[in-house]
Amino acid sequence: MKPVKVLLLGGRGPLVEAARHHPAVEPVTLEHEAVAAVVDLGSLTPAAQAEATRYPLAGTRLPLVVISAIGVDTATTNPYLAEMARAERLALDGRERWWVLRCAPLGEDLVPAARQLHQFGAVYAGYGTTEVPWLAATDVLEMLATLLREGQDRWGHAYELTGAEAATAPHMVEQIAQHLGRPGVEYHELAPESLVASLVELAGFDPGVAVRIPPMQDAWAATGREGAASPTVERALGRPPRPLAAQVTDIVSALTAPA
């Protein structure tokens, strides 16, 4: 089966990288080659998110798929979710052919923690201890391809996507550590203000990016609410979402692969 050609705009590096190598999806750069535009609102970088929401306003006639986050439909006080809710509304305004994929956090979102482990043998983060139904980027891409092949008579819906298993970020970090041969990882949970300062001073983050990370991680807590696991992925793909163990293997493989 030929891959579905999409104009992929903005978004998280791990999702973009997964799309480059996934057999079901082919990112293209020219609008006339694509069957849909895909906008991922999950970027931490304000400039990248602004670019992702700019394109849909430029008059493209392509159908639009917005990749968003669970909780934006009920966002009230969390600034990250509220910003994503605003971006959703902006992107969809006046459109007739659209879908929204509201996704749980991606397992690949833990790649920065894996890099810390790989380089320093410790993780400094502010993930919290909420159990999250981590979702694999490959499941998002397969869901996207399935919709574009089979669901074009059902425009105008928002789908909630989660993985089948929930785990805390520290648990996932420990699993990554074991795969890297560093069991008993030194894990430091930082308060939001300490996390922002550490990201700026020690990791070289831009302050405008660093300040967005604690509310984003607070937003992850929304995916841990009771009953958060959604059957959408399994119903659409005919198989369960990619298990946590496989996601951990994917993260480690990507991290240790030759450049």
Side-chain angles (χ1 to χ4, degrees):
M1 188 177 297
K2 291 184 178 180
V4 174
K5 296 184 178 182
V6 297
L7 195 63
L8 185 59
L9 306 164
R12 288 153 286 193
L15 186 64
V16 174
E17 186 65 20
R20 291 191 183 118
H21 299 95
H22 199 282
V25 174
E26 180 183 344
V28 296
T29 57
L30 299 177
E31 182 177 326
H32 73 271
E33 294 181 339
V35 298
V38 180
V39 173
D40 177 21
L41 302 180
S43 175
L44 282 176
T45 308
Q49 192 175 50
E51 178 65 14
T53 55
R54 178 197 66 79
Y55 186 86
L57 302 179
T60 176
R61 299 190 180 189
L62 288 173
L64 183 67
V65 182
V66 174
I67 299 176
S68 184
I70 288 176
V72 301
D73 51 334
T74 57
T76 54
T77 59
N78 183 281
Y80 181 78
L81 288 180
E83 182 178 356
M84 293 189 78
R86 178 199 60 79
E88 261 194 30
R89 293 191 296 270
L90 187 66
L92 299 179
D93 185 42
R95 291 191 167 272
E96 295 182 357
R97 295 185 298 165
W98 58 265
W99 290 306
V100 176
L101 305 182
R102 292 185 179 135
C103 300
L106 302 181
E108 289 85 352
D109 289 339
L110 294 172
V111 166
R115 289 200 181 104
Q116 286 188 56
L117 275 171
H118 195 47
Q119 295 178 20
F120 310 116
V123 172
Y124 295 83
Y127 293 120
T129 56
T130 300
E131 288 195 335
V132 171
W134 302 96
L135 181 67
T138 53
D139 289 337
V140 177
L141 296 171
E142 287 187 36
M143 181 76 184
L144 170 66
T146 298
L147 281 171
L148 290 172
R149 287 192 183 107
E150 303 172 9
Q152 298 196 29
D153 58 342
R154 301 192 299 274
W155 296 111
H157 290 279
Y159 296 93
E160 190 169 278
L161 309 185
T162 74
E165 306 167 79
T168 66
H171 171 80
M172 292 288 282
V173 167
E174 178 60 36
Q175 297 303 304
I176 294 168
Q178 290 186 20
H179 275 70
L180 289 171
R182 295 179 180 267
V185 60
E186 188 178 326
Y187 180 85
H188 302 273
E189 182 73 23
L190 301 179
E193 60 274 12
S194 299
L195 176 60
V196 172
S198 297
L199 290 170
V200 173
E201 295 170 14
L202 301 179
F205 273 57
D206 179 273
V209 175
V211 77
R212 291 163 58 89
I213 293 178
M216 180 201 73
Q217 293 175 339
D218 286 345
W220 288 5
T223 71
R225 65 189 185 275
E226 185 177 355
S230 163
T232 305
V233 172
E234 185 164 4
R235 287 177 179 172
L237 304 183
R239 60 161 178 81
R242 193 157 176 76
L244 292 182
Q247 293 187 50
V248 169
T249 300
D250 291 345
I251 292 169
V252 172
S253 297
L255 188 70
T256 57

